[in-house]
């Protein structure tokens, strides 16, 4: 008996995704021994930071029973407008301040979503589709549509900061930027909130049954509102990190990524009906998507097939459990 | 089966409100800039512009009627267009006699429609047989379709068509632009399907309550397959129009059309949870959008600002249609 | 003030509630003593749900005074009411399927004590204390979605107890329980009463809860029409008070001798739900299938209509085999199925009354792909008239109808298809007593016209007043085939429970 494993271990999405990742790595290492090195790992980690932070937010929304497609627009809005703001008033501001303002902008836009969803009760997909274009349209019309590569110096300092860097004896170069700490911080903070606070449990409860949550006295509206504010704040953080690390405030970046991020979260086992989703699963999903986006070529699949691969992964990752559930329901009669 | 619609119902219907809006926007634009907005040139150019996304909105409408959504419409449109374009560029060229290139055009159209139907079949099968939520099924399949288009073209545009291709998107028939005729025909067809056929009523009933549809012995799987095949076919027709108007095909054309299609369907009063929707509403929504868009164009409002306006409009319409304001007021009082 | 009122946990005086001109409650007095169990009976629309909503603070009363736990409550909301110890267990239990048993039990407590942090250990302690109190063992870490219905109810009761309930209001507590589970519930209720916890049962089916109740209160049209010790009431007198009239049930007339065999079911088996189900159904016969919840009766009914695929066996209608596991095939063989849960399975609530009937006849009025709308609508309207559906407007959504009328709409859909065999699962669930008798009349009438009818129900009087034969199921098998005419309710109850 393997009591230390959860009962549904073998049927969980997490297990499936982890399996695919391992399989991918094995094949990749066989076809190109250079794949499995610290260089690749640190490259992939760097690529995963922004997507990872966004995915944590997207997961939270799915757990609460909604779906958000506007977070990329929030991220780019918060990043670009805080950059523009500081370039105008205080170009030498320290980066933590710029980051805080970006996070604040994000939270504000999240509150905009939250108002329509929590207090007006509108369908989340439609609202966030709408705000996606509102945020983007507003940004490009009123704030600016030019790429800015002349960022406040402190942002560039941030992008140079590394936790570790070096070259292994085999000559593999690696570096892990400060931004990795941000992802870690977001994960830890969200984990504590989801597992250890009543607020977090309330989010799961609402995802499980809104009506029941209302009946036992959970403040459903404010909890939902909080979810969108929190997601907005995370998007603001992800956006400014994206801008700093890329050393460019590009108002056209990030938007378009939302479906890949949601794909990562759904692959990790979060369900659209709400109430289900784990950070472990989300991070595994992010890892898989990042690997597919960056290393497909290593296993001999041309980069032009990236979209197809991700699409098929989504269909398999969500289709297999859905089909299994359908069969189980039919069997139960 | 609303056999008799009394006059009282007409004015309270959301479609009536849309008619008022369409007339109002038209009137407003005509007053603001009569010589330009009402010019033949502007009216014709509007008639060429909107059918492509309007047809995508029709595809979205039928998917939404079942409580689903089709996020793959743009992917299907582009994949169909790319396949047609590859056939056209491989087997025909500008020097070919018109009769010969017309045959190749017919083959290319047939191939595009096949792609649309097949894509719809895939979506329908994912939703019906595998029980995937439509959002995920069409999100995933949309990536796959777009991905195939990228893989086939390497991401660049396919161009160099014989001049006959312009027939679909740029020609007129009796002075009426061909795309407009295509849209009108498809709108009438969809209207008849939804209101005058057993299949259409089943779609509405299923959208209202899927479980009750199962217990009413409705063949749900078959119905869903048909719904997504129709959506796929409509998408591929839209793709062909885009191809003809742009005189090229590319995997990422019209990426903003997805939002626009959802917006028009919702604006047209289609219930995103399923069970309600009328083609006339969608048509009126398309017209209002196009009048507004064209008017904004004349006022030299940028594309970005237009995106902002679309988004705001989408939310505004949802607020009005769902009586959300009463819900808000109600939330500060005990429910009755 | 009488001593009765002084000691009462809940004391409502002259409560009136009006909604937009409709008087839902008209000057009703209502008291519950600590440790007392009260049956609150009444038909749908009698005002019993409104009364519960007022006690639990969901709705304010228009007039009257409310005292709970010795305090006047001029202003009440669900939180205040819950803090005073009033807990409502809704019919659907209002649990969180995705959370663990422990969390479900302790969530409300944690909320009410304004905890900010979630302490897993405290939650487990609260939950296991509540389970111990009623002497039940359920895995604390199990997800609630994996539990059977009876255990979900126990979790809901534990949640109320964990929140220091002084009064537990149970909405239709026994509808989903088997006889054995009802007995366990009765034991738990007795124990709670000994500890001073009061209970209000809100129910249509009162037989099971009368045994553990002290007092019965009957509402009709918003007025209290009867109140007294439970020992003075029985099912019949309750029915009388609830409807204001005696509803004599006519026993079914005989099946025409020599009637043809309509439906033959042989060896129908599905692993884990039912096994070796065989019976014949004659034209004009009403066959009852009964058994406790979980005995497989609903699965058999669904299998007969193709909604469940059996592993083995055969069904023939008028000598022709019906393909298994295919609702379309069943409906082509002219089998009709009216499901138990009208609201989610039976009707398209937002759609018009007319459409709800017509959806059954789409193919019949379809030629060359197009529908003959006039004929379709006329036929549906005709069926609505025949079944005496009371409505001012057939284009109104079906949700505007009362339960009894809704059931008639569901029946009309299938009758318009001229069924040979009609399966009725719980034909009078959630229907008020008056309409119930009407529905039974319709069933008897249909049988006289030669339709074979199968009534799947656990409502014993209903079975006795409609069925010629009754099959009793247990653990997925038919254990008895009884003659409806020579049977009494006690006999049948005994066969079910034994």
């Amino acid at each position: 008996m393997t009591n230390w494993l959860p009962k549904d271990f073998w049927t969980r999405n997490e297990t499936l995704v982890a399996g695919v990742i391992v399989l991918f790595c094995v094949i990749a290492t066989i076809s190109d021994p250079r794949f499995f090195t610290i260089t690749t790992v640190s490259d992939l980690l760097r690529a995963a930071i922004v997507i990872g932070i966004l995915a944590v937010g997207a997961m939270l929304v799915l757990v609460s029973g909604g779906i958000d497609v506007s977070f990329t627009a929030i991220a780019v809005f918060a990043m670009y407008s805080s950059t523009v703001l500081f370039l105008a008033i205080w170009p030498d501001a320290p980066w933590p301040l710029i980051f805080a303002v970006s996070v604040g902008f994000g939270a504000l836009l999240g509150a905009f979503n939250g108002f329509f969803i929590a207090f007006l009760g509108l369908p989340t997909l439609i609202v966030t589709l709408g705000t996606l274009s509102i945020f983007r349209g507003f940004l490009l019309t009123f704030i600016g549509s030019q790429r800015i590569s002349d960022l406040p110096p402190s942002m560039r300092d941030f992008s140079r900061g590394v936790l570790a860097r070096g070259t292994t004896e085999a000559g593999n170069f690696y570096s892990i930027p400060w931004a990795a700490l941000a992802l870690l911080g977001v994960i830890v903070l969200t984990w504590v909130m989801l597992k250890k606070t009543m607020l977090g449990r309330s989010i799961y409860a609402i995802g499980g049954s809104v009506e029941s949550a209302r009946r036992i006295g959970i403040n459903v509206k404010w909890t939902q509102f909080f979810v969108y504010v929190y997601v907005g704040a995370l998007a603001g953080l992800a956006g400014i990190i994206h801008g700093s690390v890329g050393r460019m405030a590009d108002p056209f970046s990030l938007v378009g990524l939302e479906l890949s991020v949601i794909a990562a979260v759904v692959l990790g086992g979060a369900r659209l009906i709400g109430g289900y989703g784990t950070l472990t699963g989300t991070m595994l999903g992010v890892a898989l998507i990042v690997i597919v986006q960056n290393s497909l070529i290593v296993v001999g699949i041309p980069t032009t097939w990236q979209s197809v691969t991700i699409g098929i992964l989504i269909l398999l990752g969500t289709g297999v459990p859905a089909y299994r559930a359908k069969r189980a329901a039919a069997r139960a009669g | 089966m609303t056999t008799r619609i009394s006059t009282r119902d007409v004015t309270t219907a959301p479609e009536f409100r849309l008619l008022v809006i369409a007339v109002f926007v038209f009137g407003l634009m005509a007053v603001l800039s009569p010589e330009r907005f009402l010019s033949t040139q502007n009216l014709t150019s509007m008639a060429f512009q909107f059918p492509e996304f309007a047809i995508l909105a029709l595809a979205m409408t039928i998917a939404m009627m079942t409580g689903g959504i089709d996020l793959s419409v743009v992917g299907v449109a582009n994949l169909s267009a790319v396949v047609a374009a590859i056939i056209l560029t491989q087997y025909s060229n500008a020097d070919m006699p018109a009769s010969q290139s017309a045959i190749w055009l017919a083959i290319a159209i047939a191939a595009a429609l096949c792609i649309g139907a097949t894509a719809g079949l895939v979506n329908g099968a994912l939703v019906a047989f595998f029980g995937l939520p439509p959002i995920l099924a069409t999100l995933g399949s949309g990536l796959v379709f777009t991905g195939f288009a990228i893989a086939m073209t390497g991401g660049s545009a396919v161009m160099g068509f014989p001049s006959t291709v312009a027939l679909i998107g740029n020609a007129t028939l009796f002075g009426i632009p061909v795309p407009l005729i295509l849209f009108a025909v498809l709108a009438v067809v969809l209207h008849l399907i939804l209101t005058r056929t057993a299949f259409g009523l089943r779609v509405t009933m299923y959208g209202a309550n899927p479980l009750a549809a199962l217990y009413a012995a409705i063949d749900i799987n078959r119905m869903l397959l048909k719904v997504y095949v129709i959506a796929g076919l409509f998408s591929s027709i839209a793709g062909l129009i885009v191809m003809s108007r742009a005189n090229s095909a590319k995997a990422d054309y019209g990426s903003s059309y997805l939002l626009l299609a959802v917006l028009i369907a919702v604006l047209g009063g289609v219930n995103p949870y399923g069970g309600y929707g009328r083609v006339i509403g969608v048509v009126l929504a398309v017209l209002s959008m196009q009048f507004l868009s064209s008017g904004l164009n004349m006022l030299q409002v940028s594309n970005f600002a237009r995106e902002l306006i679309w988004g705001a409009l989408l939310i505004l319409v949802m607020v009005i249609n769902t009586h959300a304001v009463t819900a808000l007021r109600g939330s500060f009082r005990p429910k009755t | 003030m009488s001593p009765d009122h002084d000691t009462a946990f809940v004391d409502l005086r002259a409560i009136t509630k009006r909604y937009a001109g409709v008087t839902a409650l008209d000057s009703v007095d209502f008291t519950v003593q600590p440790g007392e169990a009260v049956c609150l009976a009444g038909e749908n629309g009698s005002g019993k749900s409104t009364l519960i909503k007022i006690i639990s603070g969901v709705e304010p009363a228009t007039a009257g005074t409310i005292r709970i736990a010795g305090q006047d409550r001029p202003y009440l909301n669900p939180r205040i009411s819950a803090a005073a110890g009033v807990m409502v267990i809704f019919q659907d239990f209002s649990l969180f399927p995705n959370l663990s048993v422990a969390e479900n039990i302790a969530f409300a407590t944690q909320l009410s004590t304004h905890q900010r942090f979630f302490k897993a250990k405290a939650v487990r302690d609260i939950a296991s204390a509540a389970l111990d109190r009623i002497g039940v063992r359920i895995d604390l870490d199990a997800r609630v979605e994996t539990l059977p219905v009876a255990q979900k109810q126990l979790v809901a009761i534990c949640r109320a107890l964990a929140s220091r309930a002084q009064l537990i209001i149970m909405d239709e507590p026994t509808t989903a329980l088997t006889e054995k589970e009802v007995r366990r519930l009765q034991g738990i209720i007795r124990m709670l009463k000994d500890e001073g916890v009061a209970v209000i049962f809100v129910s249509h089916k009162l037989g099971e809860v009368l045994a553990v109740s002290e007092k019965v209160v009957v509402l009709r049209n918003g007025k209290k029409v009867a109140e007294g010790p439970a020992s003075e009431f029985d099912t019949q007198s309750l029915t009388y008070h609830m409807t204001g009239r005696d509803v004599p049930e006519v026993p079914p007339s005989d099946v025409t001798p020599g009637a043809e065999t309509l439906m033959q079911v042989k060896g129908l088996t599905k692993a884990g739900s039912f096994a070796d189900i065989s019976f014949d159904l004659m034209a004009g016969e009403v066959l009852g299938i009964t058994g406790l919840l979980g005995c497989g009766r609903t699965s058999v009914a669904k299998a007969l209509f193709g909604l469940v695929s059996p592993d083995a066996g055969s069904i023939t209608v008028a000598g022709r085999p019906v393909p298994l596991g295919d609702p379309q095939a069943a409906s082509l063989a002219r089998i009709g199925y009216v499901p138990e849960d009208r609201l989610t399975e039976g009707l398209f609530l937002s759609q018009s009354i007319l459409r709800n009937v017509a959806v059954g006849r789409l193919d019949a009025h379809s030629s060359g792909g197009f529908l003959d709308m006039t004929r379709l609508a006329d036929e549906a309207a005709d069926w609505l008239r025949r079944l005496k559906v009371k409505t001012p407007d057939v284009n109104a959504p079906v949700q505007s109808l009362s339960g009894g009328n809704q059931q008639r709409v569901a029946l009309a859909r299938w009758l318009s298809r001229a069924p040979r065999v009609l399966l009725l699962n719980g034909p009078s669930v959630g229907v008020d007593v008056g309409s119930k008798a009407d529905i039974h009349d319709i069933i008897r009438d249909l049988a006289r016209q030669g339709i074979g009818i199968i009534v799947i129900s656990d409502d014993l009087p209903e079975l006795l007043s409609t069925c010629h034969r009754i099959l009793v199921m247990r653990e997925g098998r038919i254990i008895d085939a009884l003659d409806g005419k020579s049977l009494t309710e006690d006999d049948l109850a005994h066969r079910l429970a034994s």
Side-chain angles (χ1 to χ4, degrees), chain C residues 327-378:
Chain C
Q328 284 90 48
S331 110
L332 276 179
R334 290 166 64 193
I335 301 175
Y337 178 57
V338 178
E340 192 171 10
D341 186 345
R342 268 191 309 280
L343 303 185
T344 64
E345 299 169 346
L347 294 173
F348 303 89
L349 288 178
S350 62
Q351 301 290 318
S352 72
I353 298 166
L354 211 55
R355 276 192 185 198
N356 267 282
V357 178
V359 70
R361 293 282 286 166
L362 294 177
D363 286 328
H365 294 296
S366 183
S367 65
F370 285 97
L371 285 170
D372 184 337
M373 304 302 281
T374 325
R375 263 174 50 206
L376 188 64
D378 289 348

Side-chain angles (χ1 to χ4, degrees), chain A residues 67 115-116 119-120 122-123 125-127 129-131 133-134 136-138 140-142 145 214 221 252 259 266 272 304-305 307-308 310-312 314-315 318-319 322-323 326, chain B residues 69 126 128-133 135-137 139-141 143-144 147-148 150-151 154 259 262 266 272-273 302 304-305 307-308 311-312 314-315 318-319 322 324 328 331 335:
Chain A
I67 187 165
F115 171 76
F116 287 105
F119 295 106
L120 293 184
L122 298 183
L125 178 66
I126 309 285
V127 167
L129 265 176
T131 53
S133 34
I134 293 178
R136 202 172 119 91
F138 190 92
L140 296 172
T141 312
F142 297 109
S145 53
R214 213 168 275 138
K221 289 180 179 174
F252 294 95
L259 295 186
V266 170
L272 281 181
T304 45
W305 288 85
S307 243
V308 177
I310 294 178
I312 288 174
I314 294 176
L315 294 179
T318 58
Y323 186 63
K326 200 179 151 135
Chain B
I69 193 165
L126 288 170
F129 297 114
F130 290 88
L132 272 173
I135 294 187
L136 288 182
L139 165 66
S141 71
L143 280 172
V144 172
F148 275 127
I150 296 174
L259 171 75
V262 175
V266 173
Y273 296 122
S302 74
F304 304 139
E307 198 176 333
L308 167 66
L314 177 63
I315 289 179
M318 282 307 291
V319 170
T322 56
L328 180 67
S331 72
K335 270 191 289 181

Side-chain angles (χ1 to χ4, degrees), chain C residues 165-331:
Chain C
Q166 295 300 308
L167 167 65
I168 298 181
I169 300 172
M170 301 183 82
D171 193 7
E172 303 284 352
T174 55
T175 30
L177 299 191
T178 66
E179 186 101 3
K180 209 168 107 193
E181 288 161 347
V182 167
R183 258 182 264 130
R184 179 160 70 168
L185 178 67
Q186 288 172 341
I188 290 169
I189 301 290
R190 285 203 184 89
M191 211 183 62
L192 293 177
K193 279 165 37 182
D194 290 343
E195 294 181 22
V197 177
V199 183
I200 300 176
F201 297 109
V202 187
S203 187
H204 281 103
K205 270 174 39 182
L206 294 157
E208 292 103 334
V209 288
L210 269 179
V212 288
S213 304
E214 277 78 33
K215 190 166 81 174
V216 172
V217 172
V218 185
L219 296 180
R220 189 170 72 229
N221 296 331
K223 292 200 175 82
K224 187 161 78 179
V225 291
E227 177 170 16
S231 53
E232 291 173 9
F233 288 85
D234 58 21
T235 317
Q236 218 175 351
S237 63
L238 273 176
T239 306
Y240 170 76
H241 288 300
M242 282 160 71
T243 58
R245 61 189 155 125
D246 272 314
V247 186
E249 289 279 12
V250 197
S253 53
D254 292 322
V255 187
T256 324
E260 52 164 337
T261 304
L262 255 184
M263 184 190 226
Q264 271 188 307
V265 176
K266 282 210 187 96
L268 215 55
T269 299
K270 178 165 180 70
S273 351
F274 52 83
D276 203 20
I277 303 293
S278 304
F279 60 84
D280 287 356
L281 178 71
M282 318 271 261
E285 186 184 23
V286 183
L287 178 69
I289 298 182
T290 188
L292 306 172
L293 202 97
C295 68
R297 55 184 156 91
T298 293
S299 297
V300 168
K302 286 185 176 174
L304 294 177
F305 188 63
L307 291 162
V308 163
S309 300
D311 308 325
S314 69
I315 303 171
T316 56
V317 170
R320 289 227 195 109
V322 181
L324 298 176
D326 181 354
Q328 284 90 48
S331 110

Side-chain angles (χ1 to χ4, degrees), chain A residues 7-8 195-199 201-202 204-209 211-213 215-219 271 274-276 330-333, chain C residues 79 90 92-99 103 107-108 110-111 115-120 139 143 145 159 270 273 299 302 308-309:
Chain A
K7 226 185 298 175
D8 54 352
K195 293 279 175 189
K196 297 291 170 195
T197 71
M198 288 306 286
L199 181 63
R201 301 318 294 168
S202 299
Y204 276 98
I206 289 173
S209 166
E211 194 51 41
S212 304
R215 282 178 182 162
I216 69 162
I218 292 174
N219 196 329
R271 296 195 210 160
Y276 300 85
R331 264 200 304 278
Chain C
R79 278 181 186 229
F90 292 94
D92 63 4
F93 309 137
S94 296
L95 296 173
F96 302 106
N98 57 333
L99 299 183
E103 248 186 285
F107 212 118
Q110 298 291 91
L111 273 179
Q115 299 278 336
R116 281 186 178 280
F117 292 97
F118 175 82
K119 299 186 187 73
D139 179 8
R143 272 194 184 161
E145 63 187 342
R159 176 164 75 184
K270 178 165 180 70
S273 351
S299 297
K302 286 185 176 174
V308 163
S309 300

Side-chain angles (χ1 to χ4, degrees), chain A residues 290-315:
Chain A
V290 168
I291 289 174
V292 169
Q293 282 179 343
N294 292 280
S295 307
L296 212 49
I297 193 78
V298 186
V299 292
I301 304 176
T303 339
T304 45
W305 288 85
Q306 203 188 86
S307 243
V308 177
T309 316
I310 294 178
I312 288 174
L313 278 175
I314 294 176
L315 294 179

